[in-house]
Amino acid sequence: MTQTASSTDTAPREDLPDSLGFGFAEIAALLRISGGPQAEASAKVLHLERELADARCVSAGASSLVARGLATADADGGLSVAGAVAATAQTLGSAVRWIQIDLVTPDSTDNVFSIEGSDYAILAQPRAHFSWFVMARNPGLTGAQADFAVVKAHLDAHAQAGASLLNHQDPGHRLLVKRAGDAYTVGLLPAGAERAEEEGPLDEAAVTAHIERFRAA
């Protein structure tokens, strides 16, 4: 299979499963289904530009999706997806906002990408062996609330932890968040700077408001 084409019957938001796992080639195939500048922008954010441009990688991803029962192929080599897989492809291909959340401990850094499309919003997390873990974002939360929920879970789980948010629409600053006792501090770090001027102590509502303003930049 050397080409993919789109036939995406997306599922209602409430029908999306909790999570899906994809290989990097499968993500490239989903990006190719949507095509266009927004899919290319998503590929850039996810560091999959080279994979999206590699026909062999896209073909391998399409074949893997079919083998796993996540897509069907027609006689002409076109790829059709439905339900949650189609919703993932549609989100990547219509994305209007990409927020990268870096979850930091003294020993490691993990990443979560909050991606908003025209109809759906997802959280995508790179895992071992170039795989991706994708889940639907809670539709009952605003974007800022959902992003703070990711940050809070990380800070609750790890001592001496911190988090930073990068808005890929305006990558000139990072928003830093860390816990200060029972409260939080935030700081806006310009690109290339070594220190951020911190503000705090803040409660959860105040941190969420900072994230909301940061996302709107």
Side-chain angles (χ1 to χ4, degrees):
M1 182 179 297
T2 58
Q3 296 182 350
T4 58
S6 173
S7 177
T8 57
D9 298 321
T10 54
R13 190 182 298 267
E14 63 270 16
D15 289 343
L16 295 178
D18 290 339
S19 64
L20 288 169
F22 297 103
F24 71 92
E26 293 176 330
I27 293 289
L30 296 179
L31 287 163
R32 179 67 65 86
I33 284 177
S34 297
Q38 299 310 104
E40 293 173 2
S42 291
K44 181 178 180 180
V45 168
L46 300 179
H47 304 294
L48 292 173
E49 293 172 284
R50 183 166 57 183
E51 288 78 5
L52 179 60
D54 186 339
R56 291 177 298 178
C57 179
V58 172
S59 179
S63 296
S64 179
L65 288 170
V66 172
R68 295 175 60 202
L70 299 177
T72 57
D74 60 31
D76 297 323
L79 193 71
S80 298
V81 291
V85 181
T88 300
Q90 194 272 347
T91 303
L92 294 171
S94 67
V96 295
R97 182 172 286 109
W98 306 261
I99 304 296
Q100 178 179 330
I101 307 172
D102 295 335
L103 306 173
V104 182
T105 70
D107 301 318
S108 65
T109 299
D110 210 352
N111 313 108
V112 177
F113 294 86
S114 177
I115 304 173
E116 295 179 7
S118 59
D119 297 316
Y120 302 96
I122 61 174
L123 298 174
Q125 187 172 24
R127 307 310 298 159
H129 307 296
F130 304 104
S131 61
W132 285 84
F133 176 82
V134 177
M135 64 182 298
R137 203 176 70 193
N138 186 337
L141 301 177
T142 67
Q145 289 169 338
D147 291 349
F148 177 67
V150 173
V151 170
K152 183 179 185 302
H154 172 68
L155 297 182
D156 286 348
H158 301 280
Q160 298 181 336
S164 72
L165 287 78
L166 177 66
N167 185 343
H168 279 272
Q169 292 176 286
D170 182 19
H173 299 81
R174 283 183 178 270
L175 184 68
L176 310 182
V177 184
K178 64 181 181 180
R179 193 182 298 282
D182 294 331
Y184 301 86
T185 63
V186 301
L188 196 61
L189 181 67
E194 295 183 358
R195 295 179 62 87
E197 184 175 347
E198 295 184 346
E199 180 180 345
L202 302 173
D203 61 15
E204 294 185 4
V207 177
T208 302
H210 273 279
I211 295 174
E212 183 66 47
R213 291 191 291 272
F214 182 74
R215 287 168 54 85

